[in-house]
Amino acid sequence: MTPRHVALLMAALAAIAFWQWTLIPEPVMQQAVGPRLFPALVVAALALVAVLYGLSAWRGRQIDLSHEDGQSALPGAQGRLLSVLGGGLAFMLLVVPLGFVIPATLCGMGVARGFDAPLGWRSALINLLVAAAFWTLFAQILGVGLGPALPWGI
Amino acid sequence: MNAFDALLGGFANALQPATLMWGFVGCFVGTLVGVLPGIGPALTIALLLPLTYHVPATSMFVMFAGIYYGAAYGGSTTSILLNTPGESAAVVTSLEGNKMARRGRAGQALATAAIGSFVAGTIGTLALTFVAPWVVEAALAFGPAEYFSLMVLSLVAVSAVLGNSMLRGVISLAAGLLFGLVGVDLQTGQPRLTFGRAELLDGIEVTVAAVGLFAVGEALYLAWQGREAKSAEVMKMSGSLWLSKSDWARSWKAWLRGALYGFPIGAMPAGGAELPTLLSYYTEKKLSRHPEEFGHGAIEGVAGPEAANNAAAAGVLMPLLTLGIPTSATAAIMLSAFEGYGIQTGPQLFTAQGSLVWTLIASLYIGNVILLILNLPLVGLWVKLLKIPPPWLYAGIIVISTAGVYGAGNSVFNVGLLFVFGLIGFVMRRFDFPAAPLIVGLILAPMAEQSMRQALTISMGDWSTFVTRPLSASLLLIAVLLLIVPPLWRRVRG
């Protein structure tokens, strides 16, 4: 990924924002300023700065911090990134059917794997303890609704 | 009732055992998150926002204030013992602090940082106590046009002045404003930018965006780099925590000078804590009788910047409490907490919620004392925390982040959005986009739009209202100057 790719992503965001803006209906009542003006200004500003960033990136004036000394990614970067994201995905898919603790444990294991901790019993146990502790603190002591801890409704 | 009487009333509330307990918890948690890398006060307060439904407003804000001050205290421990400043404001502390630790004077570095933070934090809170009512009085004359112009100034200042690139700051701000407009328009009831999803009708929650950018984004970036797998080298606790006569003599003036830099600059829309810490460092270097020690562990180089950092933390609260304008990511999230309680911020906060505001200010004094007591005796515990291996540290941070977001509404959609913001945070971190303008823009977008619409309704659609009212025009002029002068200055110097 380079700053030019970032410029393309920003242009895509501006285009999607413009499309969504076109879907905002005109208000029924006459108003000095309706619900479309401020979003229009913001979308226009975003499009403008995306173009400026693109031009600047094309001239090689935008930076990628990973090119600085000691900041580049070590081999296996994509795998580590996917491990962390996979942990989050596991949580999203499993939290409703399985309750909080097991998906949070899997999420923690995914993140730990992203930081080069092996996927094994040690990781499972540590993350299980962390997830159970957080569930107890949030749900039991502070009263935040995290749902049941386990699939059988505890 | 004058400020002093109001403050006494605030102390009466803040010294209630329950309020004191929340203040203590806030100070403890704040120090903890200040010490730990990868987790800061903005993220912590964002994660605690779901508690707003369960805890009274006064207790909650006393805790938030403790977290905010505590993180500024705790950051020095990481800078001195790990040479890895947790936030940009603590970078300067590590310059001399870590060198002192390497020379066997870690105890003295931590002590001057903690006592300096106490002295400057107290001076900053005193200034907040007696200056804030004046600002409120002046701000009561503001109409919607002035408010809109003030918000424009703040947004420009936060995005264009701070950070390494004005363009990247403005991009971050534009994205934040766009995300802030997602949801139902409060005046017409029209859904905007929602993709037809019912989950987005209430807008993007600040917790989701802040936690995604700060916690998930940082974890993704560090995992991608793969350089954090092992714990960093933590210096041994060496040297006495008691300062010698010479250490006191070299520190106290630096504390006072740091406080004098920190509060006024922290209170400005673009002030922040980085500039006063740097100014303090160079002032101490210039005034020191031992300039040769700078770069090798000069105690003034720790005392001054740490004091400036904590006084700036008090300064940042001034525009937040008096004008309802956040000038940092943490202040923006605290503003969101006010909204969560249905409390309208701005100058009317001091009259409508006087008890809450003065209790909060009183708790800042008490918090400073708690932090001084908490920091030094517990330094052994903080050192142990620094030794948590990164895999378990970041796993814990992501699990608590996910729990915080999921707990706010049992929404799997919001957890997905959390990881989307994490990916945005990853890209921003890698390509050096500042995150604070995005968060401030997200919070201020609906408020700025509302002020603009009110001003235009009052002026019957006449846009010149923003430039014909003297105060509004002055604020807009300053905003334009902030946008134009720095690049011109660079060009002239170049």
Side-chain angles (χ1 to χ4, degrees):
Chain A
M1 197 176 196
T2 65
R4 291 183 192 188
H5 294 118
V6 178
L8 286 176
L9 283 175
M10 280 165 38
L13 177 66
I16 293 169
F18 176 73
W19 163 57
Q20 282 292 302
W21 175 80
T22 61
L23 301 180
I24 302 172
E26 286 288 353
V28 182
M29 285 181 351
Q30 182 64 33
Q31 289 181 322
V33 181
R36 290 165 59 91
L37 178 72
F38 198 76
L41 293 175
V42 173
V43 172
L46 185 67
L48 176 69
V49 288
V51 169
L52 291 176
Y53 183 85
L55 286 173
S56 176
W58 186 63
R59 290 176 185 155
R61 288 184 186 164
Q62 290 301 327
I63 57 169
D64 178 349
L65 289 180
S66 68
H67 290 164
E68 294 188 357
D69 277 351
Q71 294 292 312
S72 61
L74 297 179
Q78 306 301 332
R80 290 191 297 272
L81 205 60
L82 288 174
S83 285
V84 177
L85 291 173
L89 188 66
F91 183 88
M92 280 188 277
L93 293 175
L94 299 174
V95 69
V96 174
L98 295 185
F100 179 80
V101 171
I102 295 170
T105 303
L106 294 173
C107 176
M109 288 172 73
V111 177
R113 182 74 199 95
F115 285 84
D116 290 340
L119 274 178
W121 286 109
R122 185 161 178 257
S123 178
L125 189 64
I126 290 173
N127 283 299
L128 178 70
L129 288 173
V130 169
F134 284 151
W135 184 84
T136 309
L137 176 70
F138 273 73
Q140 296 296 101
I141 299 173
L142 297 175
V144 175
L146 287 179
L150 294 165
W152 41 93
I154 293 173
Chain B
M1 192 165 58
N2 63 28
F4 187 71
D5 292 335
L7 181 64
L8 286 182
F11 269 108
N13 289 335
L15 287 169
Q16 297 289 324
T19 315
L20 210 53
M21 189 269 292
W22 284 106
F24 182 84
V25 170
C27 290
F28 187 85
V29 172
T31 312
L32 189 93
V33 301
V35 168
L36 287 174
I39 184 164
L43 168 63
T44 311
I45 294 175
L47 280 171
L48 290 169
L49 285 182
L51 291 183
T52 48
Y53 301 109
H54 307 278
V55 180
T58 307
S59 306
M60 201 65 183
F61 283 102
V62 165
M63 182 169 75
F64 287 168
I67 291 172
Y68 183 53
Y69 266 26
Y73 269 71
S76 63
T77 309
T78 320
S79 295
I80 292 166
L81 295 178
L82 201 67
N83 199 22
T84 310
E87 51 176 349
S88 51
V91 169
V92 182
T93 305
S94 65
L95 292 179
E96 301 300 323
N98 190 256
K99 295 277 170 23
M100 283 182 74
R102 286 181 189 278
R103 287 172 56 192
R105 283 170 47 82
Q108 287 89 341
L110 288 165
T112 195
I115 300 168
S117 298
F118 168 76
V119 171
T122 307
I123 291 172
T125 312
L126 272 168
L128 176 67
T129 306
F130 295 104
V131 178
W134 287 0
V135 179
V136 167
E137 214 162 290
L140 283 171
F142 279 26
E146 285 77 15
Y147 255 104
F148 175 72
S149 301
L150 181 66
M151 283 185 222
V152 170
L153 170 61
S154 304
L155 292 170
V156 166
V158 168
S159 49
V161 180
L162 301 178
N164 299 326
S165 153
M166 181 186 285
L167 178 60
R168 293 194 292 273
V170 174
I171 289 170
S172 177
L173 171 69
L177 290 170
L178 183 73
F179 295 139
L181 293 175
V182 172
V184 170
D185 172 38
L186 291 178
Q187 287 194 17
T188 60
Q190 309 275 23
R192 300 187 298 184
L193 316 172
T194 59
F195 298 89
R197 301 278 313 203
E199 295 94 334
L200 288 173
L201 288 176
D202 285 337
I204 293 173
E205 288 186 27
V206 66
T207 309
V208 175
V211 176
L213 290 179
F214 291 119
V216 182
E218 179 75 3
L220 285 171
Y221 182 74
L222 294 175
W224 176 79
Q225 270 192 322
R227 294 172 183 272
E228 288 277 323
K230 290 194 176 68
S231 303
E233 182 201 359
V234 181
M235 303 298 300
K236 278 189 184 148
M237 249 311 287
S238 54
S240 166
L241 285 170
W242 294 104
L243 294 177
S244 68
K245 213 172 173 181
S246 148
D247 290 333
W248 277 101
R250 291 177 63 178
S251 293
W252 73 269
K253 284 182 192 162
W255 296 332
L256 296 182
R257 282 192 287 262
L260 291 181
Y261 276 130
F263 182 79
I265 298 177
M268 289 177 195
E274 293 85 358
L275 182 61
T277 53
L278 268 173
L279 282 174
S280 167
Y281 181 77
Y282 288 115
T283 304
E284 295 314 320
K285 195 173 176 182
K286 195 94 182 159
L287 297 179
S288 173
R289 288 183 186 165
H290 310 274
E292 73 286 354
E293 281 188 29
F294 275 78
H296 305 285
I299 194 164
E300 301 95 325
V302 180
E306 262 309 299
N309 185 12
N310 275 60
V316 168
L317 290 178
M318 177 117 106
L320 176 71
L321 294 177
T322 57
L323 303 171
I325 299 288
T327 54
S328 71
T330 313
I333 292 162
M334 283 170 84
L335 181 67
S336 162
F338 278 113
E339 287 176 352
Y341 278 104
I343 296 171
Q344 201 181 354
T345 50
Q348 62 274 31
L349 186 69
F350 269 73
T351 43
Q353 298 286 339
S355 168
L356 166 66
V357 175
W358 288 106
T359 305
L360 177 65
I361 293 176
S363 73
L364 294 175
Y365 289 96
I366 299 166
N368 265 312
V369 179
I370 294 174
L371 283 164
L372 186 68
I373 298 168
L374 203 66
N375 252 268
L376 293 177
L378 292 183
V379 73
L381 173 68
W382 310 134
V383 171
K384 279 203 179 87
L385 282 173
L386 289 174
K387 292 181 178 169
I388 298 175
W392 316 128
L393 176 65
Y394 286 99
I397 290 172
I398 299 301
V399 169
I400 197 172
S401 300
T402 312
V405 167
Y406 183 68
N410 280 186
S411 165
V412 175
F413 180 85
N414 274 350
V415 178
L417 210 52
L418 170 78
F419 280 87
V420 170
F421 272 100
L423 283 169
I424 294 172
F426 165 70
V427 173
M428 290 175 73
R429 175 82 160 77
R430 182 171 161 186
F431 295 97
D432 197 29
F433 288 86
L438 194 154
I439 299 295
V440 174
L442 175 73
I443 305 268
L444 283 190
M447 295 160 76
E449 184 187 19
Q450 194 186 4
S451 292
M452 188 186 90
R453 287 163 82 169
Q454 281 173 349
L456 288 171
T457 304
I458 292 167
S459 71
M460 315 271 265
D462 180 6
W463 284 83
S464 68
T465 187
F466 295 111
V467 289
T468 50
R469 294 171 71 99
L471 190 55
S472 170
S474 309
L475 291 165
L476 286 178
L477 180 68
I478 298 171
V480 171
L481 289 176
L482 280 176
L483 273 175
I484 293 173
V485 171
L488 269 181
W489 178 249
R490 270 196 294 272
R491 192 159 284 190
V492 169
R493 286 186 70 190

